[in-house]
Structures are given as C-alpha cells and as structure tokens.
Amino acid sequence: MDHDEDEEAEKLKEQRLKEYAAKKAKKPAVIAKSSILLDVKPWDDETDLAKLEECVRSVQADGLLWGTSKLVPVGYGIKKLQIACVVEDDKVGTDLLEEEITKFEDYVQSVDVAAFNKI
C-alpha cells in the first residue's frame, strides 16, 4: 500500500467515525425513570383531603410528573391520599418528595413510599 492509499484509508476512517458520532449524538439518551406510589397520611378525619392533595400536587420539580390519586380508608374514619407519580431518577428522588410534601405540616402527618418501580 503506498502513501496515497494510506491517506485515503485514514480519511475514510475519520469520515466513518464522524458519521457514527453524529448518529449517536442524534439518538436521545435513555432517561431512567421510576414510578412511585406515595401514601400521604393526614393528621385526622378533620383534615381537608382536597386541600391536602392540592398541596401535594403543588410540589413541582424538573423531572416530576404527578399521576392519579385516590383516597384509601385507614380506619377510624380517616383516609389517606394515595398518589402516583413518575420521576426522572437523575433529577428527583423519594427523599426530595418526602421532604417537600411534609413541609405542609398543617395537613400532612407522614409520607410513605408504598411502591417504587423502575420503568
């Protein structure tokens, strides 16, 4: 192989690497997400659960998406709010959610992670 062929092969290799890099750059990175089900417990049966849910849903974060919710009887006439959300693992964790939700101390007694699944 003479010098010209070497150069040609090198150029071709560079071109292919560039094309590969460009193709790879266009492909969106896979974002790791999790589905989380939270149990938010009120103080008692006097707690306004609509307001409680409003407070929970007011928690905003990049990578956090609130889903469906329902009220689940706990006993003694008390119901807890069970609410689902999807989070991007790199941006939002259960610690952040629990911390933010428990700030609404007039309504929220505790927050527990009922289910946590990688998507």
Side-chain angles (χ1 to χ4, degrees):
M1 212 179 343
D2 64 21
H3 182 68
D4 287 347
E5 280 179 14
D6 274 357
E7 219 169 274
E8 198 59 42
E10 197 57 43
K11 275 185 184 160
L12 192 65
K13 188 175 158 191
E14 263 179 53
Q15 182 62 34
R16 285 202 177 129
L17 282 171
K18 271 186 194 156
E19 282 170 12
Y20 175 73
K23 195 173 175 183
K24 208 173 166 182
K26 278 186 196 137
K27 199 175 179 186
V30 176
I31 298 168
K33 290 184 178 178
S34 297
S35 166
I36 303 172
L37 189 63
L38 297 172
D39 280 347
V40 184
K41 295 188 185 108
W43 287 106
D44 52 34
D45 59 351
E46 303 284 303
T47 305
D48 182 342
L49 296 173
K51 190 77 183 133
L52 173 94
E53 181 174 350
E54 201 179 293
C55 290
V56 172
R57 287 186 184 273
S58 75
V59 174
Q60 297 287 311
D62 186 27
L64 167 64
L65 186 70
W66 291 109
T68 57
S69 65
K70 65 180 179 184
L71 298 174
V72 180
V74 183
Y76 306 106
I78 300 173
K79 291 180 178 170
K80 66 181 175 185
L81 172 71
Q82 202 167 59
I83 188 162
C85 64
V86 174
V87 298
E88 288 180 27
D89 295 351
D90 293 348
K91 297 178 180 173
V92 183
T94 53
D95 295 350
L96 174 95
L97 290 172
E98 288 179 41
E99 199 177 299
E100 290 300 312
I101 294 168
T102 49
K103 282 181 185 171
F104 302 106
E105 52 202 24
D106 291 349
Y107 301 101
V108 179
Q109 181 190 345
S110 68
V111 179
D112 294 307
V113 176
F116 186 101
N117 298 298
K118 296 276 180 207
I119 299 178

PDB file of all heavy atoms in Angstrom, residues 74-93:
ATOM      1  N   VAL A  74     -58.109   4.269  56.170  1.00  0.00           N
ATOM      2  CA  VAL A  74     -57.065   3.760  57.046  1.00  0.00           C
ATOM      3  C   VAL A  74     -57.713   3.145  58.292  1.00  0.00           C
ATOM      4  O   VAL A  74     -57.193   2.229  58.890  1.00  0.00           O
ATOM      5  CB  VAL A  74     -56.116   4.906  57.501  1.00  0.00           C
ATOM      6  CG1 VAL A  74     -54.978   4.372  58.345  1.00  0.00           C
ATOM      7  CG2 VAL A  74     -55.572   5.663  56.321  1.00  0.00           C
ATOM      8  N   GLY A  75     -58.859   3.700  58.672  1.00  0.00           N
ATOM      9  CA  GLY A  75     -59.544   3.244  59.881  1.00  0.00           C
ATOM     10  C   GLY A  75     -59.962   4.457  60.689  1.00  0.00           C
ATOM     11  O   GLY A  75     -59.423   5.546  60.516  1.00  0.00           O
ATOM     12  N   TYR A  76     -60.922   4.272  61.575  1.00  0.00           N
ATOM     13  CA  TYR A  76     -61.432   5.354  62.432  1.00  0.00           C
ATOM     14  C   TYR A  76     -61.900   6.558  61.619  1.00  0.00           C
ATOM     15  O   TYR A  76     -61.741   7.703  62.036  1.00  0.00           O
ATOM     16  CB  TYR A  76     -60.370   5.811  63.458  1.00  0.00           C
ATOM     17  CG  TYR A  76     -59.828   4.685  64.279  1.00  0.00           C
ATOM     18  CD1 TYR A  76     -58.554   4.198  64.055  1.00  0.00           C
ATOM     19  CD2 TYR A  76     -60.617   4.083  65.270  1.00  0.00           C
ATOM     20  CE1 TYR A  76     -58.055   3.138  64.811  1.00  0.00           C
ATOM     21  CE2 TYR A  76     -60.122   3.021  66.033  1.00  0.00           C
ATOM     22  CZ  TYR A  76     -58.850   2.557  65.787  1.00  0.00           C
ATOM     23  OH  TYR A  76     -58.373   1.509  66.530  1.00  0.00           O
ATOM     24  N   GLY A  77     -62.444   6.292  60.430  1.00  0.00           N
ATOM     25  CA  GLY A  77     -62.956   7.379  59.597  1.00  0.00           C
ATOM     26  C   GLY A  77     -61.869   8.184  58.899  1.00  0.00           C
ATOM     27  O   GLY A  77     -62.152   9.150  58.207  1.00  0.00           O
ATOM     28  N   ILE A  78     -60.634   7.796  59.094  1.00  0.00           N
ATOM     29  CA  ILE A  78     -59.525   8.522  58.468  1.00  0.00           C
ATOM     30  C   ILE A  78     -59.178   7.871  57.137  1.00  0.00           C
ATOM     31  O   ILE A  78     -59.164   6.657  57.006  1.00  0.00           O
ATOM     32  CB  ILE A  78     -58.276   8.530  59.389  1.00  0.00           C
ATOM     33  CG1 ILE A  78     -58.602   9.205  60.719  1.00  0.00           C
ATOM     34  CG2 ILE A  78     -57.102   9.223  58.700  1.00  0.00           C
ATOM     35  CD1 ILE A  78     -57.506   9.108  61.754  1.00  0.00           C
ATOM     36  N   LYS A  79     -58.911   8.729  56.164  1.00  0.00           N
ATOM     37  CA  LYS A  79     -58.470   8.251  54.852  1.00  0.00           C
ATOM     38  C   LYS A  79     -57.108   8.846  54.567  1.00  0.00           C
ATOM     39  O   LYS A  79     -56.797   9.946  55.010  1.00  0.00           O
ATOM     40  CB  LYS A  79     -59.454   8.693  53.766  1.00  0.00           C
ATOM     41  CG  LYS A  79     -60.784   7.995  53.858  1.00  0.00           C
ATOM     42  CD  LYS A  79     -61.716   8.464  52.770  1.00  0.00           C
ATOM     43  CE  LYS A  79     -63.035   7.704  52.856  1.00  0.00           C
ATOM     44  NZ  LYS A  79     -64.047   8.274  51.992  1.00  0.00           N
ATOM     45  N   LYS A  80     -56.314   8.086  53.827  1.00  0.00           N
ATOM     46  CA  LYS A  80     -55.014   8.623  53.388  1.00  0.00           C
ATOM     47  C   LYS A  80     -55.089   8.853  51.895  1.00  0.00           C
ATOM     48  O   LYS A  80     -55.901   8.244  51.200  1.00  0.00           O
ATOM     49  CB  LYS A  80     -53.884   7.657  53.744  1.00  0.00           C
ATOM     50  CG  LYS A  80     -53.943   6.335  52.987  1.00  0.00           C
ATOM     51  CD  LYS A  80     -52.833   5.413  53.397  1.00  0.00           C
ATOM     52  CE  LYS A  80     -53.007   4.053  52.711  1.00  0.00           C
ATOM     53  NZ  LYS A  80     -52.031   3.072  53.147  1.00  0.00           N
ATOM     54  N   LEU A  81     -54.246   9.740  51.419  1.00  0.00           N
ATOM     55  CA  LEU A  81     -54.170  10.015  49.993  1.00  0.00           C
ATOM     56  C   LEU A  81     -53.096   9.114  49.411  1.00  0.00           C
ATOM     57  O   LEU A  81     -51.958   9.100  49.893  1.00  0.00           O
ATOM     58  CB  LEU A  81     -53.787  11.487  49.765  1.00  0.00           C
ATOM     59  CG  LEU A  81     -53.477  11.890  48.326  1.00  0.00           C
ATOM     60  CD1 LEU A  81     -54.747  11.894  47.486  1.00  0.00           C
ATOM     61  CD2 LEU A  81     -52.814  13.254  48.280  1.00  0.00           C
ATOM     62  N   GLN A  82     -53.480   8.345  48.402  1.00  0.00           N
ATOM     63  CA  GLN A  82     -52.502   7.515  47.705  1.00  0.00           C
ATOM     64  C   GLN A  82     -52.338   8.154  46.333  1.00  0.00           C
ATOM     65  O   GLN A  82     -53.304   8.263  45.586  1.00  0.00           O
ATOM     66  CB  GLN A  82     -53.018   6.082  47.592  1.00  0.00           C
ATOM     67  CG  GLN A  82     -51.899   5.087  47.381  1.00  0.00           C
ATOM     68  CD  GLN A  82     -52.374   3.657  47.574  1.00  0.00           C
ATOM     69  OE1 GLN A  82     -53.286   3.217  46.880  1.00  0.00           O
ATOM     70  NE2 GLN A  82     -51.770   2.933  48.476  1.00  0.00           N
ATOM     71  N   ILE A  83     -51.120   8.608  46.053  1.00  0.00           N
ATOM     72  CA  ILE A  83     -50.901   9.344  44.809  1.00  0.00           C
ATOM     73  C   ILE A  83     -49.695   8.787  44.066  1.00  0.00           C
ATOM     74  O   ILE A  83     -48.681   8.444  44.673  1.00  0.00           O
ATOM     75  CB  ILE A  83     -50.768  10.863  45.082  1.00  0.00           C
ATOM     76  CG1 ILE A  83     -50.744  11.671  43.784  1.00  0.00           C
ATOM     77  CG2 ILE A  83     -49.570  11.177  45.960  1.00  0.00           C
ATOM     78  CD1 ILE A  83     -51.037  13.142  43.980  1.00  0.00           C
ATOM     79  N   ALA A  84     -49.859   8.692  42.752  1.00  0.00           N
ATOM     80  CA  ALA A  84     -48.790   8.142  41.915  1.00  0.00           C
ATOM     81  C   ALA A  84     -48.041   9.280  41.235  1.00  0.00           C
ATOM     82  O   ALA A  84     -48.602  10.339  40.966  1.00  0.00           O
ATOM     83  CB  ALA A  84     -49.391   7.220  40.855  1.00  0.00           C
ATOM     84  N   CYS A  85     -46.773   9.039  40.976  1.00  0.00           N
ATOM     85  CA  CYS A  85     -46.005   9.998  40.186  1.00  0.00           C
ATOM     86  C   CYS A  85     -44.909   9.260  39.438  1.00  0.00           C
ATOM     87  O   CYS A  85     -44.533   8.139  39.795  1.00  0.00           O
ATOM     88  CB  CYS A  85     -45.419  11.107  41.055  1.00  0.00           C
ATOM     89  SG  CYS A  85     -44.220  10.562  42.275  1.00  0.00           S
ATOM     90  N   VAL A  86     -44.438   9.895  38.400  1.00  0.00           N
ATOM     91  CA  VAL A  86     -43.314   9.369  37.623  1.00  0.00           C
ATOM     92  C   VAL A  86     -42.195  10.382  37.760  1.00  0.00           C
ATOM     93  O   VAL A  86     -42.411  11.582  37.632  1.00  0.00           O
ATOM     94  CB  VAL A  86     -43.696   9.170  36.138  1.00  0.00           C
ATOM     95  CG1 VAL A  86     -42.476   8.774  35.314  1.00  0.00           C
ATOM     96  CG2 VAL A  86     -44.771   8.102  36.010  1.00  0.00           C
ATOM     97  N   VAL A  87     -41.004   9.891  38.062  1.00  0.00           N
ATOM     98  CA  VAL A  87     -39.864  10.796  38.224  1.00  0.00           C
ATOM     99  C   VAL A  87     -38.704  10.350  37.352  1.00  0.00           C
ATOM    100  O   VAL A  87     -38.575   9.173  37.027  1.00  0.00           O
ATOM    101  CB  VAL A  87     -39.381  10.844  39.703  1.00  0.00           C
ATOM    102  CG1 VAL A  87     -40.469  11.367  40.602  1.00  0.00           C
ATOM    103  CG2 VAL A  87     -38.876   9.491  40.185  1.00  0.00           C
ATOM    104  N   GLU A  88     -37.881  11.319  36.978  1.00  0.00           N
ATOM    105  CA  GLU A  88     -36.621  11.007  36.313  1.00  0.00           C
ATOM    106  C   GLU A  88     -35.621  10.786  37.430  1.00  0.00           C
ATOM    107  O   GLU A  88     -35.391  11.678  38.251  1.00  0.00           O
ATOM    108  CB  GLU A  88     -36.192  12.169  35.410  1.00  0.00           C
ATOM    109  CG  GLU A  88     -37.052  12.295  34.174  1.00  0.00           C
ATOM    110  CD  GLU A  88     -36.622  13.452  33.280  1.00  0.00           C
ATOM    111  OE1 GLU A  88     -35.437  13.825  33.305  1.00  0.00           O
ATOM    112  OE2 GLU A  88     -37.484  13.976  32.561  1.00  0.00           O
ATOM    113  N   ASP A  89     -35.027   9.607  37.469  1.00  0.00           N
ATOM    114  CA  ASP A  89     -34.151   9.204  38.568  1.00  0.00           C
ATOM    115  C   ASP A  89     -33.016  10.182  38.860  1.00  0.00           C
ATOM    116  O   ASP A  89     -32.660  10.396  40.012  1.00  0.00           O
ATOM    117  CB  ASP A  89     -33.567   7.809  38.301  1.00  0.00           C
ATOM    118  CG  ASP A  89     -34.651   6.741  38.280  1.00  0.00           C
ATOM    119  OD1 ASP A  89     -35.809   7.054  38.631  1.00  0.00           O
ATOM    120  OD2 ASP A  89     -34.357   5.595  37.906  1.00  0.00           O
ATOM    121  N   ASP A  90     -32.461  10.764  37.796  1.00  0.00           N
ATOM    122  CA  ASP A  90     -31.335  11.677  37.991  1.00  0.00           C
ATOM    123  C   ASP A  90     -31.734  12.991  38.635  1.00  0.00           C
ATOM    124  O   ASP A  90     -30.913  13.700  39.182  1.00  0.00           O
ATOM    125  CB  ASP A  90     -30.656  11.995  36.645  1.00  0.00           C
ATOM    126  CG  ASP A  90     -29.973  10.765  36.065  1.00  0.00           C
ATOM    127  OD1 ASP A  90     -29.833   9.770  36.803  1.00  0.00           O
ATOM    128  OD2 ASP A  90     -29.590  10.804  34.889  1.00  0.00           O
ATOM    129  N   LYS A  91     -33.014  13.334  38.530  1.00  0.00           N
ATOM    130  CA  LYS A  91     -33.456  14.654  38.972  1.00  0.00           C
ATOM    131  C   LYS A  91     -34.266  14.644  40.270  1.00  0.00           C
ATOM    132  O   LYS A  91     -34.209  15.584  41.043  1.00  0.00           O
ATOM    133  CB  LYS A  91     -34.297  15.311  37.877  1.00  0.00           C
ATOM    134  CG  LYS A  91     -33.516  15.569  36.601  1.00  0.00           C
ATOM    135  CD  LYS A  91     -34.405  16.169  35.545  1.00  0.00           C
ATOM    136  CE  LYS A  91     -33.634  16.423  34.260  1.00  0.00           C
ATOM    137  NZ  LYS A  91     -34.508  16.857  33.191  1.00  0.00           N
ATOM    138  N   VAL A  92     -35.058  13.600  40.462  1.00  0.00           N
ATOM    139  CA  VAL A  92     -35.966  13.575  41.607  1.00  0.00           C
ATOM    140  C   VAL A  92     -35.852  12.244  42.341  1.00  0.00           C
ATOM    141  O   VAL A  92     -35.874  11.192  41.730  1.00  0.00           O
ATOM    142  CB  VAL A  92     -37.439  13.763  41.147  1.00  0.00           C
ATOM    143  CG1 VAL A  92     -38.366  13.812  42.347  1.00  0.00           C
ATOM    144  CG2 VAL A  92     -37.582  15.017  40.307  1.00  0.00           C
ATOM    145  N   GLY A  93     -35.758  12.325  43.653  1.00  0.00           N
ATOM    146  CA  GLY A  93     -35.698  11.106  44.464  1.00  0.00           C
ATOM    147  C   GLY A  93     -36.810  11.112  45.485  1.00  0.00           C
ATOM    148  O   GLY A  93     -37.468  12.127  45.709  1.00  0.00           O
TER     149      GLY A  93
END
